Amino acid sequence: MSVSDFMTRNLIVAQPEMKIFDAVDLMKKNNIHRLPVVKGEQVIGLITEGTIQSAMPSKATSLSVYEVNYLLNKTTVADIMVKKVQTIQPEASLEDGIFKMRQNNIGVLPVIDANEILVGIITNNDIFDAFLKITGYNDGGTRIQLRIPEDHKGILADIAKLLADNDFSILTVVVNRKELETIIELQIESRETHQIEKKLKEAGYDVFEATFISKKV
């Protein structure tokens, strides 16, 4: 899975000469919390709700409302934007994107191609959507969790064959390796939860959870 699989391509951007109030209106209108700042097609900065808030005069200021509004009307995006912007390329793995966001304690990465042209943006919300897709949360069906006490070579192939032999299709597989055991979570395209659980238990698998998940619209 790459960043390009989950990034937002329809971009809302700001220009450096844009006034702060206009940037705020743009974010409110589109229900977003940050804007890449571009010159031509290249990213030169980033403006967020946080940077805008930091630029606002303190409530303790001695300036009048007229003076505050005058200053803000003169302030442009270029005056307050973050100039050192972390970016990522579209072919980078999704895991690399997540790691970079965590390492830099940020919630957004503009995505640029080899020519440094802005082609997308990936945010923490895109990461959440990716997780839901990977785990099959929206697909519905039967979710089965198996407890494997030790590492068995070929275990996934054996499980897949057992399910295929009984005409069940696997939608997703998640493997969670713990210190003393491995948890295998399967999303299966079927409403026959009890039948799936029965077949797996008869084959000797430790099924500790079997749940039918309704398909999300």
Side-chain angles (χ1 to χ4, degrees), residues 16 19 29 37-38 53 63 65 67 74 79 108 111 118 123 150 154 166 178 193 207 209:
K19 298 293 190 293
K29 181 180 177 181
V37 184
V38 299
Q53 191 63 40
L63 296 175
V65 173
E67 290 171 319
K74 287 177 65 67
D79 294 327
V108 58
V111 185
L118 179 67
T123 70
E150 57 187 68
N166 287 277
K178 298 186 178 182
T193 304
V207 180
E209 184 173 326

Side-chain angles (χ1 to χ4, degrees), residues 15-203:
Q15 286 71 43
E17 65 275 11
M18 181 182 285
K19 298 293 190 293
I20 290 182
F21 284 152
D22 291 331
V24 171
D25 287 341
L26 191 59
M27 285 192 276
K28 286 182 178 179
K29 181 180 177 181
N30 292 280
N31 193 29
I32 53 179
H33 306 288
R34 69 276 288 182
L35 292 167
V37 184
V38 299
K39 189 173 183 180
E41 296 181 278
Q42 295 186 325
V43 177
I44 62 170
L46 185 71
I47 187 167
T48 69
E49 289 180 340
T51 57
I52 292 172
Q53 191 63 40
S54 298
M56 296 292 183
S58 166
K59 291 182 179 180
T61 181
S62 61
L63 296 175
S64 67
V65 173
Y66 172 80
E67 290 171 319
V68 168
N69 286 335
Y70 175 77
L71 287 174
L72 291 177
N73 277 320
K74 287 177 65 67
T75 304
T76 66
V77 165
D79 294 327
I80 67 168
M81 68 183 185
V82 176
K83 294 183 173 67
K84 188 176 181 181
V85 182
Q86 295 290 329
T87 61
I88 197 164
Q89 293 193 319
E91 63 271 17
S93 71
L94 184 63
E95 297 93 316
D96 285 340
I98 295 171
F99 182 78
K100 196 167 192 177
M101 291 167 73
R102 292 287 293 157
Q103 285 292 100
N104 292 280
N105 194 29
I106 54 178
V108 58
L109 286 171
V111 185
I112 60 173
D113 66 14
N115 297 314
E116 298 189 352
I117 302 300
L118 179 67
V119 295
I121 192 170
I122 189 160
T123 70
N124 44 13
N125 283 338
D126 295 320
I127 301 297
F128 295 149
D129 289 340
F131 177 79
L132 292 177
K133 183 174 182 179
I134 291 165
T135 58
Y137 180 79
N138 295 318
D139 297 329
T142 292
R143 179 169 296 168
I144 296 286
Q145 291 192 24
L146 308 175
R147 185 182 287 111
I148 310 299
E150 57 187 68
D151 188 19
H152 291 286
K153 292 183 179 180
I155 187 73
L156 288 176
D158 293 340
I159 294 171
K161 185 177 186 307
L162 172 66
L163 292 171
D165 288 346
N166 287 277
D167 204 26
F168 295 120
S169 298
I170 299 174
L171 294 171
T172 63
V173 179
V174 177
V175 178
N176 181 14
R177 294 186 182 277
K178 298 186 178 182
E179 187 176 350
L180 300 176
E181 63 184 11
T182 296
I183 304 300
I184 297 177
E185 182 177 289
L186 305 165
Q187 190 90 355
I188 300 167
E189 190 177 15
S190 174
R191 301 174 66 93
E192 299 180 57
T193 304
H194 296 301
Q195 184 67 11
I196 296 169
E197 182 179 13
K198 178 184 176 183
K199 291 295 182 183
L200 287 166
K201 285 184 173 179
E202 286 176 350

